[in-house]
Amino acid sequence: MGAQPMKTVFAFLIVAAFLFSFSGNEPHKKYTYTGKDYRVECEMLNGLYDGVYTSWYTNGKKKAQGNFKDNMRVGNWTVWDSTGQMKMKREYKNNFEFTRTFPAYNEGPAKLFSVPVYKLEYEEERIKYFFLNERAVTISKRIWRFIPRKKKSPVFSKEQLHRTLIDAALTNKAFVYEDDEFKIKMSFPLIQNIAPDQDKKTYNDSLIGYKIKEDWFFDNDRMISETRIIGICPVMLSGKDTVDAGWFYYPQLRATLCKEKINSENIPAYIHSLDDLFFFRYFYGAIYKESNVHDRSLKEYANGLMLEQERNRIEYSLIELEHDEWLQFAP
């Protein structure tokens, strides 16, 4: 039993129409978002957060400010309460490693919320996930994204990812499932239908992108947010419909992706493999669904400008929810 086709009126082709492309000459773009509880101004490059990010409370007081580089927090980040009082300042090496510079570290045997307890370490060629205590997760969201096919996106460079997924399916290195609940295995994964052109050594145009299912959460032990990918699914075009070509359970797939090395001058030096590419989130994917009681996608209740506004609301809320947690647990 194969995956069921979906109409092209679904989010994917709409998303592809306005999403950012990875072109080396694209300049930084500034974006502004005004929500119910805060206003945001930020810079982006090739669809990634890159540059100054600032948010304000509705009373005009600055809430948070810092810099992103390639979707990663870098340098100094500061948060203030609604009265304008600075509550916390950190200096980031990357999303996971930082030093708190204000308030000063506590002296004595207990340095509560002072020193980050996580360092990036590789184990069997992949970055080791930090052990997560369920009690430490103070807030979480499940998010679904779509990464549209772009020639200069590193996700699609040399079709390396797609070739790797096909090989994993054919050699049983990873199972392929009918949906993102990973309960029923595909007897004949549709990913095999996206066949290569043996003369040109490339794949045909039926591959239009990838779906991503992921969990975002705030870890109170480390005082940071993190996103971990749960599943990835190639999406192919079949006539006028889009079809899921099979869901891969990402934790199982990591052992394969980490062995696929990336050599390119156009990506950050710390990205060595396909697994690194996703771990450091060096990609842009448009949100098409967040966890909700009605199990609805964004397209089911929003369209046009409302769809883009809703997508932006969710994107910026993930950043601002972390700032809210910093304020709540600030010494």
Side-chain angles (χ1 to χ4, degrees), residues 20-29 44-48 50 69-70 150-154 264-267 282:
F20 314 94
S21 63
F22 278 76
S23 58
N25 299 321
E26 182 177 333
H28 280 80
K29 295 181 180 180
M44 303 189 82
L45 178 65
N46 298 326
L48 308 180
D50 198 286
K69 178 63 178 176
D70 297 326
K150 297 291 184 181
K151 288 184 179 180
K152 295 191 177 182
S153 167
S264 174
E265 298 179 355
N266 300 321
I267 62 174
Y282 192 67

Side-chain angles (χ1 to χ4, degrees), residues 191-249:
I191 189 174
Q192 299 176 38
N193 292 347
I194 313 177
D197 183 325
Q198 295 299 330
D199 295 328
K200 297 181 180 179
K201 302 298 181 182
T202 59
Y203 287 82
N204 61 38
D205 293 333
S206 62
L207 175 67
I208 63 171
Y210 294 98
K211 287 182 178 180
I212 297 289
K213 179 182 180 181
E214 58 192 19
D215 277 342
W216 174 94
F217 56 88
F218 186 84
D219 181 357
N220 189 34
D221 280 344
R222 292 177 290 159
M223 287 293 289
I224 62 170
S225 67
E226 186 179 347
T227 302
R228 295 186 184 180
I229 295 176
I230 303 171
I232 183 170
C233 173
V235 181
M236 58 187 286
L237 188 63
S238 178
K240 294 183 178 181
D241 294 331
T242 57
V243 179
D244 290 351
W247 279 93
F248 291 82
Y249 183 55

